């Protein structure tokens, strides 16, 4: 029977309508020949001001020079050629009800591997490189003007909004705090005032005892949220109450890298053609009154029901989170045993 579930503290509803579900055939990754993110095609992209490259066994942070691109790189951060926000936005403001302001900001792409691969093929060591570079760039961006929030996310696959096949992440600054983070921080603030504790810590504690656990490591815990809006959705939280991804230590980054590698490998094995969005939720660095317990939310894209969701704000999910994590856990255990 269908069941209506509500998100832990947001006004977000999901109708759980358990149904038949089949894995999609994994598509062949498109040709690397015309890929501008692949090594050899650096000149077809804007110059990079942050390139991670291994030289004589040491990782160095370098930048491209005009006509002189850093070769043999490991991670490459480039300005988005088609940015959603820009420092050059015309300075036009208008008042409500026709409110508008310039979409000022910076929009970068992090090429997550020198190989033409999907995220399920990115290994732990490479994840460490990627996450460290993302931390670096985000810290640098928070020092800039007109930056209220640095959004960090990744899209893989056309259904998830990615236009290129090569694994990449995006870093985009916003002149305003995104409503999702604003809402989460308000819920945290309210709970801190009334019950004295972080509500996300309480959810972690509760989910650790329940049937929606996915992976647990020394520092991280992942689970399928009880009102999963998408099939096979899962969230990854630091177990300790931490407010900022930017302050995660190298040891924690290594731990997180292991979790991400295993999660995406398991996800790809279970759902076949892996198309998904992953979004980092972290506290804005400049406003201490808007703190949350940072985490990553992963939304696999299997298609369906978009119009209804857009029109009503209510999601329909055909895979119960309890069943989804069971499939994911089984596959993750097999992957670990095979190592
Ligand atoms: Zn490529
Ligand atoms: Zn917490």
């Amino acid at each position: 029977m269908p069941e209506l579930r509500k998100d832990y503290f947001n006004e977000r509803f999901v109708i759980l309508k358990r149904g038949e579900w089949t894995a999609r055939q994994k598509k062949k990754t498109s040709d690397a020949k015309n890929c501008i993110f692949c090594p050899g095609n650096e000149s077809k992209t804007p110059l990079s001001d942050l390139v991670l490259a291994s030289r004589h066994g040491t990782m160095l942070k370098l930048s491209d020079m005009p006509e002189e691109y850093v070769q043999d790189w490991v991670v490459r951060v480039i300005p988005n050629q088609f940015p959603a926000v820009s420092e050059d936005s015309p300075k036009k403001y208008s008042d409500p009800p026709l409110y508008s302001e310039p979409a000022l900001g910076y929009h970068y792409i992090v090429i997550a591997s020198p190989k033409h691969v999907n995220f399920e093929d990115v290994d732990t060591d490479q994840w460490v490189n990627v996450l460290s570079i993302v931390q670096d760039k985000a810290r640098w961006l928070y020092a800039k003007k007109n930056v209220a929030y640095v959004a960090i996310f990744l899209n893989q696959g056309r259904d998830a909004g990615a236009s290129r096949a090569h694994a990449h992440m995006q870093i985009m600054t916003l002149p305003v705090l995104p409503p999702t983070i604003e809402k989460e921080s308000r819920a945290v603030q309210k709970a801190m005032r009334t019950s004295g504790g972080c509500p996300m810590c309480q959810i972690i504690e509760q989910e650790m005892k329940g049937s929606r656990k996915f992976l647990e490591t020394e520092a991280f815990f992942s689970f399928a949220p009880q009102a999963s809006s998408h099939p096979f959705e899962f969230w990854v939280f630091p177990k300790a109450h931490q407010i900022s991804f930017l302050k995660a230590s190298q040891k924690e980054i290594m731990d997180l890298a292991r979790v991400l590698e295993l999660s995406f490998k398991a996800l790809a094995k279970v759902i076949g053609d892996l198309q998904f969005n992953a979004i980092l939720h972290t506290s804005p660095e400049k406003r201490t009154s808007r703190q949350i317990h940072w985490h990553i939310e992963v939304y696999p894209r299997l298609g369906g029901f978009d119009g209804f969701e857009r029109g009503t704000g209510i999601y329909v999910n055909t895979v119960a989170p309890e069943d989804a994590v069971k499939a994911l856990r089984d596959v993750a255990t097999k992957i670990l045993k095979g190592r």
Side-chain angles (χ1 to χ4, degrees):
M1 284 307 250
E3 184 189 345
L4 183 76
R5 292 189 184 180
K6 186 190 161 295
D7 182 60
Y8 301 106
F9 38 77
N10 285 318
E11 292 301 305
R12 186 174 75 173
F13 292 89
V14 173
I15 294 173
L16 215 57
K17 180 175 156 285
R18 292 173 175 85
E20 284 291 299
W21 173 84
T22 44
R24 287 202 283 193
Q25 186 104 50
K26 186 173 169 150
K27 287 192 201 98
K28 239 186 111 229
T29 310
S30 73
D31 209 353
K33 213 166 62 197
N34 300 315
C35 174
I36 61 165
F37 292 169
C38 271
N41 289 337
E42 289 85 358
S43 63
K44 292 180 182 141
T45 68
L47 293 180
S48 170
D49 50 14
L50 182 57
V51 189
L52 190 70
S54 170
R55 298 286 183 265
H56 314 293
T58 319
M59 285 293 178
L60 297 181
K61 287 169 193 159
L62 308 168
S63 17
D64 289 335
M65 308 286 252
E67 307 292 309
E68 202 183 310
Y69 296 89
V70 176
Q71 301 296 305
D72 301 318
W73 48 269
V74 175
V75 183
R76 190 162 183 260
V77 184
I78 53 170
N80 192 328
Q81 278 171 303
F82 308 102
V85 290
S86 167
E87 298 154 83
D88 313 320
S89 292
K91 307 275 180 296
K92 273 202 329 216
Y93 295 83
S94 55
D95 291 326
L98 302 177
Y99 180 85
S100 85
E101 64 171 64
L104 294 169
Y106 306 83
H107 193 167
Y108 284 93
I109 287 174
V110 180
I111 306 172
S113 172
K115 295 182 200 140
H116 190 77
V117 291
N118 285 331
F119 273 104
E120 60 267 34
D121 302 312
V122 172
D123 67 15
T124 297
D125 289 347
Q126 181 64 11
W127 266 115
V128 171
N129 294 330
V130 171
L131 294 170
S132 307
I133 280 291
V134 168
Q135 270 188 325
D136 231 61
K137 194 71 190 174
R139 283 190 200 117
W140 180 82
L141 285 166
Y142 266 116
K144 299 272 178 195
K145 262 203 280 188
N146 301 310
V147 174
Y149 190 75
V150 178
I152 298 166
F153 58 99
L154 74 85
N155 305 329
Q156 174 168 298
R158 292 220 170 253
D159 288 355
S163 52
R164 298 191 182 280
H166 193 130
H168 64 282
M169 288 179 71
Q170 300 193 48
I171 305 180
M172 184 176 146
T173 72
L174 294 164
V176 294
L177 197 58
T180 310
I181 303 298
E182 180 82 45
K183 267 191 239 161
E184 273 182 23
S185 72
R186 278 183 200 282
V188 169
Q189 262 185 321
K190 196 173 148 210
M192 292 284 216
R193 269 200 311 272
T194 51
S195 67
C198 163
M200 293 172 172
C201 283
Q202 285 164 11
I203 290 162
I204 293 166
E205 204 188 308
Q206 208 163 346
E207 292 295 351
M208 272 183 174
K209 292 183 270 187
S211 55
R212 289 181 289 268
K213 286 182 283 199
F214 180 12
L215 299 172
E216 188 181 350
T217 61
E218 199 185 329
F220 290 89
F221 174 63
S222 68
F223 61 96
Q226 80 117 11
S228 291
S229 55
H230 292 74
F232 301 98
E233 173 179 337
F234 64 90
W235 297 357
V236 185
F237 275 78
K239 287 199 265 186
H241 180 71
Q242 292 180 356
I243 56 161
S244 173
F245 162 72
L246 302 195
K247 296 187 181 82
S249 69
Q250 193 61 15
K251 190 163 173 270
E252 285 157 353
I253 290 292
M254 281 163 71
D255 196 339
L256 177 61
R258 272 194 288 273
V259 172
L260 294 181
E261 187 205 359
L262 188 57
S263 302
F264 295 135
K265 280 201 161 62
L267 198 55
K269 277 233 158 42
V270 173
I271 70 174
D273 177 32
L274 178 55
Q275 310 205 35
F276 71 105
N277 307 104
I279 300 125
L280 176 76
H281 289 208
T282 185
S283 307
E285 294 291 308
K286 291 175 184 168
R287 282 177 74 188
T288 48
S289 63
R290 290 286 178 271
Q291 289 181 349
I292 59 165
H293 187 142
W294 79 265
H295 60 280
I296 297 169
E297 299 189 0
V298 178
Y299 297 98
R301 297 282 170 179
L302 302 173
F305 292 108
D306 272 337
F308 177 71
E309 283 151 13
R310 192 165 276 269
T312 59
I314 300 174
Y315 291 81
V316 177
N317 184 353
T318 50
V319 183
E322 297 77 15
D323 301 337
V325 278
K326 192 182 174 305
L328 290 173
R329 269 197 318 261
D330 289 350
V331 170
T333 310
K334 270 189 208 141
I335 294 172
L336 285 175
K337 273 197 189 135
R339 283 190 174 168

